Amino acid sequence: MVKFRDEEELSRLTRHAQSGGERALTTALYLMALQRLAAVPFRCVDEINQGMDPINERKMFQLLVKVTTETDNAQYFLLSPKLLMSLEYNPRVAVHTVMNGRHVADHRRWDVGKFIENAQYYET
């Protein structure tokens, strides 16, 4: 049972009653609630941030980093085609970027300095 606004009544979580973002947020919070209760080698979530508005996506990501890095009972794999700019990480988070497809430049021609320059430009 969920509700997302003070004036709403609790209702069953279904694909008809809530938006995709609301369902994704509920799923993320449920998985994080299980973090301390069930020890597993890893958890994997695929595109859980899709459909979320940027405000809730940022809040969910900050909470995910906090919850998943304060315990040692599981690794988390968050698979996503996109992440918001300027997200906060901590030293226990590793980010792996997979670039694939015919339009991706050959890694031998990458200009790492240009990548960093572009990232700094778009961060401001």
Side-chain angles (χ1 to χ4, degrees), residues 6-17:
D6 288 337
E7 65 276 2
E8 291 179 353
E9 295 292 321
L10 285 171
S11 63
R12 183 178 301 271
L13 182 67
T14 70
R15 64 186 176 106
H16 303 292

Side-chain angles (χ1 to χ4, degrees), residues 22-37:
E22 289 169 337
R23 291 191 315 272
L25 183 60
T26 302
T27 302
L29 293 173
Y30 179 70
L31 288 172
M32 286 185 262
L34 294 177
Q35 180 72 19
R36 289 189 186 96
L37 299 176

Side-chain angles (χ1 to χ4, degrees), residues 95-100 110:
V95 177
H96 300 278
T97 304
V98 177
M99 306 291 274
N100 193 9
W110 287 358

Side-chain angles (χ1 to χ4, degrees), residues 2 14 24 26 33 35 44 46 62 71 97 99 115 123:
V2 298
T14 70
T26 302
Q35 180 72 19
C44 184
D46 183 20
Q62 289 170 339
T71 61
T97 304
M99 306 291 274
F115 288 155
E123 220 172 74

